[in-house]
């Protein structure tokens, strides 16, 4: 066998091949964990004006005994109004329930809410504790909680909320109120049927 010959010249480069087909899309990834609660922002115009917070109500939920800080959140159970404990009550709950009460949605949470001349809590029942809303509920009782009357709270730890008021001149027929799932337990009290944007100063317990 003879010796190997010299390497030949390199051939011409071939034409570019056709683009391949796109592969099928992958399955959606899992949703991320909920982020931590952010720092409180600067007060908005409606917060800094110093006016008393606006009350409001559905057939089974109301904001009552309002002052410049907040209104007490109460819920109806077996025909009796009672307050809500502030334990684990967060900003998402506030947004959810302000919207359910016919307000734009944003609001300020005031835990350990006190009211009246003596700045005390309410004198009735504390109905709910450990309330955790997802954001779509139409009533505080539809949010996750420990059950009516199942709590270790006192009136010193009641929830107060100040919801961003409706714009003046809002057509009342356009205001959508939340509805508790299942059988309704009451009617909207007449004293809560105020013009949009109206603010009540007196106690409404």
């Amino acid at each position: 066998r003879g010796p190997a010959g010299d390497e030949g010249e390199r051939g011409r480069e071939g034409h570019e091949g056709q683009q391949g087909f796109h592969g099928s899309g992958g399955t959606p990834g899992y949703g991320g964990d909920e982020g931590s609660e952010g720092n409180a922002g600067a007060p908005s115009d409606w917060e800094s004006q110093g006016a008393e917070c606006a009350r409001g109500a559905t057939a089974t939920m109301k904001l009552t005994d309002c002052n410049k800080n907040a209104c007490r959140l109460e819920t109806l159970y077996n025909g009796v109004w009672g307050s809500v404990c502030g334990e684990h009550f967060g900003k998402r709950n506030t947004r959810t329930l302000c919207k359910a009460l016919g307000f734009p949605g944003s609001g300020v949470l005031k835990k350990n809410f006190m009211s009246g001349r003596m700045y005390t809590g309410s004198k009735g029942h504390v109905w709910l504790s450990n309330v955790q809303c997802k954001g779509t509920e139409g009533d505080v009782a539809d949010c996750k909680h420990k059950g009516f009357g199942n709590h270790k709270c006192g009136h010193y730890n009641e929830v107060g909320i100040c919801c961003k008021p409706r714009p003046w001149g809002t057509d009342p027929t356009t205001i959508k109120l939340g509805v508790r799932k299942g059988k309704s337990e009451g009617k909207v009290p007449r004293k809560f049927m105020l013009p949009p944007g109206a603010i009540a100063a007196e106690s409404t317990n």
Side-chain angles (χ1 to χ4, degrees):
R1 183 178 181 181
D6 297 330
E7 184 177 345
E9 296 180 358
R10 183 176 180 178
R12 296 180 180 178
E13 185 174 341
H15 298 291
E16 183 177 347
Q18 295 180 346
Q19 182 175 351
F21 297 104
H22 287 288
S24 57
T27 57
Y30 296 105
D33 297 330
E34 182 178 352
S36 57
E37 187 172 299
N39 297 325
S44 59
D45 290 340
W46 65 273
E47 292 178 61
S48 59
Q49 288 174 352
E52 294 200 356
C53 298
R55 61 182 179 179
T58 67
T60 53
M61 180 173 61
K62 67 180 179 179
L63 296 178
T64 185
D65 210 6
C66 303
N67 57 32
K68 293 181 179 180
N69 296 315
C71 305
R72 181 180 298 105
L73 174 65
E74 295 192 359
T75 182
L76 189 67
Y77 179 62
N78 283 344
V80 179
W81 290 100
S83 60
V84 178
C85 178
E87 187 176 13
H88 301 303
F89 201 99
K91 293 182 179 179
R92 177 181 292 180
N93 293 357
T94 304
R95 293 193 299 269
T96 302
L97 301 180
C98 282
K99 186 175 181 180
L101 285 160
F103 296 98
S106 59
V108 176
L109 170 63
K110 179 69 175 178
K111 293 186 179 181
N112 306 326
F113 176 68
M114 301 291 180
S115 61
R117 294 181 180 179
M118 302 300 293
Y119 275 88
T120 59
S122 69
K123 298 179 181 179
H125 294 280
V126 178
W127 277 139
L128 297 179
S129 179
N130 290 66
V131 175
Q132 299 179 46
C133 302
K134 294 181 179 179
T136 58
E137 295 87 350
D139 188 89
V140 63
D142 291 334
C143 302
K144 182 180 178 181
H145 56 80
K146 294 179 68 174
F148 281 97
N150 186 11
H151 65 87
K152 296 181 180 180
C153 293
H155 292 297
Y156 58 86
N157 193 22
E158 293 172 328
V159 168
I161 293 178
C162 188
C163 296
K164 179 180 179 180
R166 311 178 191 100
W168 286 98
T170 302
D171 183 355
T173 62
T174 65
I175 298 174
K176 296 182 179 180
L177 298 179
V179 178
R180 180 179 295 180
K181 293 180 180 179
K183 184 179 179 181
S184 176
E185 296 190 32
K187 297 181 179 179
V188 178
R190 181 178 296 276
K191 58 188 174 184
F192 285 101
M193 296 180 181
L194 302 176
I199 295 176
E202 75 278 8
S203 172
T204 55
N205 280 340

